[in-house]
Amino acid sequence: MDGRRRNSTGLELKHLRCLVAIVDTGSFTDAALELGISQAAVSRNLLALEQVLGVRLLHRTSRTVAPTTAGVQILARARPLLAGADELVAEATAGHSRLHIGHAWSAFGRHTTEFQRRWLHDHPETELRLIRHNSSTGGLVEGLCDLAVIRAPLDLKPWSHALVGHERRYLALASDDRWARRRSIRLDEVATRTLALDRRTGTTAVNLWPEGERPAVEYIHDIDDWLAAIASGRCIGVTPEATAAQYRRDGITYRPLRDAEPVPVHLVWRRQDPHPATHAAVALAIDLYRENGQVPGAPARTTGRESSAQAPKPTT
């Protein structure tokens, strides 16, 4: 056993690649062409592999090459091992050629499509992928994304972040609800209804209302539960404009909520080793929100007029 363990340290991926290439192409000559090395190098790699494993791997004649019983077994293990190594290299080298932006409920709301189109036009070298993950950091803590769109209350001190804009709050209700015929709803009126809340990723908390004047609450788990509770008519929901833009459903109506504080929208990323395209993504998001009057530094309550503040610098 000790001898086998010592010999295994000499096993290299190039040895396995040569074995697979020989069997797949049917000859040492064609294997050399496929791998871009000399035929002598193919022979040396196969010999080294047989010495490491201590078994003969191929039956060779002047016209044919076929794996031995041991060779068949080694091939069955070698193929997934090589595929896994190739995937590892591809993922590592694609790290900076692909930008993942995570979000819990909605990405950039009504700006999402325009963000994707402009990104493709301005940064074709970096593939953009949007990922929905039902966590408070939109998949950032879990390592699923490079940046995350955050609207829910979150301690931003551990992260680098930038405020990209603000969004009005909307009321979501069943389309046959009596309030659906109105153009807008006052915040204090919501206290008379049952409110669907997501404690983990939602942007709404009962402290929007004074103590003693707060609505009844039904807690839900994710956006799908939230939509179902509202469509059924048993609950209403308070949400940022992005939800109203991205989750239009039959049976659900959205109406502007008056006298409610707007929701700040942040892009958040890790302090260490940020993606090279981070600041380009932040700049594009700020531009889109500014173009639609949802600028960073908006007033505390939505009144239909937004201030023209300068875009903030990312905070680290």
Side-chain angles (χ1 to χ4, degrees):
M1 291 294 292
D2 291 340
R4 289 185 181 180
R5 189 174 294 114
R6 285 196 299 272
N7 286 339
S8 67
T9 61
L11 180 63
E12 298 181 33
L13 292 178
K14 65 179 182 180
H15 299 156
L16 297 175
R17 290 193 192 281
C18 281
L19 173 64
V20 171
I22 294 168
V23 173
D24 287 351
T25 63
S27 74
F28 283 67
T29 301
D30 290 339
L33 291 173
E34 179 174 300
L35 296 172
I37 60 178
S38 68
Q39 184 174 335
V42 172
S43 297
R44 287 195 300 271
N45 283 327
L46 177 66
L47 178 60
L49 180 60
E50 290 180 329
Q51 290 176 339
V52 167
L53 300 177
V55 292
R56 187 177 180 183
L57 300 174
L58 296 177
H59 292 299
R60 284 165 279 185
T61 69
S62 58
R63 295 185 177 181
T64 63
V65 176
T68 63
T69 300
V72 170
Q73 294 174 343
I74 298 302
L75 282 166
R77 300 289 294 275
R79 292 186 190 279
L81 192 155
L82 292 171
D86 290 342
E87 289 176 6
L88 176 65
V89 172
E91 288 179 6
T93 56
H96 286 169
S97 64
R98 186 177 296 150
L99 178 67
H100 295 85
I101 300 181
H103 58 94
W105 276 31
S106 52
F108 298 104
R110 60 191 170 108
H111 309 302
T112 300
T113 299
E114 186 63 19
F115 188 98
Q116 292 172 304
R117 292 174 66 88
R118 291 194 193 181
W119 187 268
L120 179 61
H121 179 271
D122 297 340
H123 306 281
E125 73 287 353
T126 304
E127 179 186 357
L128 174 67
R129 292 192 179 182
L130 301 179
I131 299 172
R132 182 163 74 93
H133 186 72
N134 194 46
S135 72
S136 60
T137 62
L140 194 59
V141 167
E142 295 80 1
L144 300 177
C145 58
D146 304 296
L147 298 92
V149 183
I150 302 297
R151 294 179 179 85
L154 181 71
D155 180 9
L156 297 176
K157 293 178 182 178
W159 311 96
S160 293
H161 56 91
L163 177 66
V164 299
H166 287 81
E167 293 175 354
R168 292 188 68 179
R169 293 183 192 266
Y170 275 68
L171 187 71
L173 61 162
S175 295
D176 59 356
D177 190 288
R178 66 184 186 278
W179 286 359
R181 297 190 295 271
R182 296 171 55 180
R183 291 187 176 182
S184 62
I185 311 296
R186 295 196 317 273
L187 179 64
D188 61 352
E189 293 180 279
V190 176
T192 64
R193 306 288 295 273
T194 299
L195 189 67
L197 285 186
D198 183 344
R199 284 182 287 192
R200 182 166 57 169
T201 62
T203 59
T204 303
V206 293
N207 59 13
L208 277 177
W209 295 266
E211 192 170 354
E213 300 177 22
R214 294 171 176 173
V217 171
E218 178 178 324
Y219 291 107
I220 52 87
H221 300 291
D222 56 27
I223 180 64
D224 295 320
D225 285 349
W226 186 82
L227 292 168
I230 293 168
S232 71
R234 71 175 185 271
C235 296
I236 59 175
V238 173
T239 190
E241 182 180 352
T243 308
Q246 286 197 217
Y247 292 96
R248 297 196 175 276
R249 296 287 192 276
D250 289 340
I252 294 180
T253 296
Y254 295 93
R255 290 291 180 261
L257 190 63
R258 302 200 306 271
D259 305 320
E261 294 182 356
V263 177
V265 182
H266 288 87
L267 273 174
V268 180
W269 61 96
R270 301 176 194 85
R271 293 183 185 276
Q272 290 77 29
D273 194 27
H275 193 287
T278 293
H279 293 295
V282 171
L284 177 55
I286 290 175
D287 285 346
L288 288 172
Y289 275 87
R290 180 187 289 118
E291 289 171 9
N292 288 273
Q294 300 165 304
V295 295
R301 293 184 184 274
T302 52
T303 62
R305 293 176 294 180
E306 302 286 0
S307 64
S308 56
Q310 293 293 320
K313 293 181 179 180
T315 302
T316 57

